[in-house]
Amino acid sequence: MTELHVHLDGSLRKETAIALAKEKGTKITSLTVDEDCDSLETYLECFRLPLSLLQEAPVIERAVRELAEDLLADGVNRAEIRFAPYSFCAKDLSPKEAVDAARRGARAAMAAHKGLKIALILCCMRGQEEAPFVGRVREELTGEKANFRLIDLIEEEMDDVVKAADLAGAEALFPTGRYIELFRYAKRKGVPFTIHAGEGAGAKSVWAALETGTGRIGHGVRAIEEALLVDELVRKKITLECCVISNFHTRCFANPIDHPIKRLFDAGVRVTLNTDNRTISDTTMHREIETVQRLFHFTDEEIRRMQAYAEEACF
Ligand SMILES: [Zn+2]
């Protein structure tokens, strides 16, 4: 199988997080949301421990290698793992050192497992321009141009593993419209990208993402709010990286059954199945497939069609 949307920090292996926390004397906070997760804050709180651990090159390298193994065990032999390099630079690492460590992890996994293909997507963060950074290289990581500098870094680092940029973070607080220039810049530089939109904010955010010329959107499911927008996604053959169980946990829709993935699929949108945060949402591709078949009655043939969409959308 192919997976397009999985975050490294939200998928740090639980046993590894606990072992490392004990080794370093870090307080062990919750890593997985409960089924009745009632707020985005509870969800975001689960990133605290992984983010505090992923501040050292050997930990980042190990996390990528182990995630690749977990993906393989789940039947995923081609995956694009994403992370925000700046969020790993709160201590001593530079963004380039964080990227190098992740690349080593990906290469080690691919060397150990024939047929496995791992790519990395590096996330710009919404609000990075206002972030109060305390790391060794803090001057690089804040201010209006911080995300532009990350695009420059991606351009320099792009190879057979480092493939593309993304935009992640609080969509409702920092609207997508603010980042159109950033991704036009990426386009001019030849850096491919995807953008989280239509999860924490609605149709307007997806329209703004489309203005960048993106071919992929992370989530995108709230496009369902506007029929014209759904038509546009079909017309432009945009791939949506849907993460259904994650959307249940962040309360993207009032009830799980309200999730529009099947309606989008039936309308002709190229929707794909992804896990988003394997540890935090305690999910796998198998669980995502089982869930959409049970709740939305996708047939095996339709599941295969979504897999084909994912393969075609790889960077
Ligand atoms: Zn995501």
Side-chain angles (χ1 to χ4, degrees), residues 107-128:
R107 287 238 163 93
M110 287 191 277
H113 303 280
K114 217 170 175 291
L116 173 66
K117 181 107 185 65
I118 299 290
L120 298 174
I121 299 174
L122 308 181
C123 311
C124 296
M125 290 301 288
R126 296 172 190 269
Q128 187 68 40

Side-chain angles (χ1 to χ4, degrees), residues 5-7 82 166 168 196 199 218-219 243 246 276-277:
H5 192 127
V6 55
H7 292 260
R82 64 184 73 195
D166 176 31
H196 277 76
E199 177 198 23
H219 299 283
C243 312
S246 170
D276 209 10
N277 296 294

Side-chain angles (χ1 to χ4, degrees), residues 2 5-6 34 37 42 66 77 106 118 122 130 136 142 151 154 176 198 210 219 233 239 252 259-260 282 286-287 297:
T2 298
H5 192 127
V6 55
D34 299 328
C37 171
T42 320
E66 290 183 348
N77 62 341
I118 299 290
L122 308 181
E130 297 172 18
R136 170 165 66 88
T142 57
I151 298 292
I154 301 170
T176 305
L210 290 181
H219 299 283
L233 294 177
T239 301
C252 204
H259 198 285
D282 188 21
H286 279 88
R287 191 169 167 216
H297 313 293

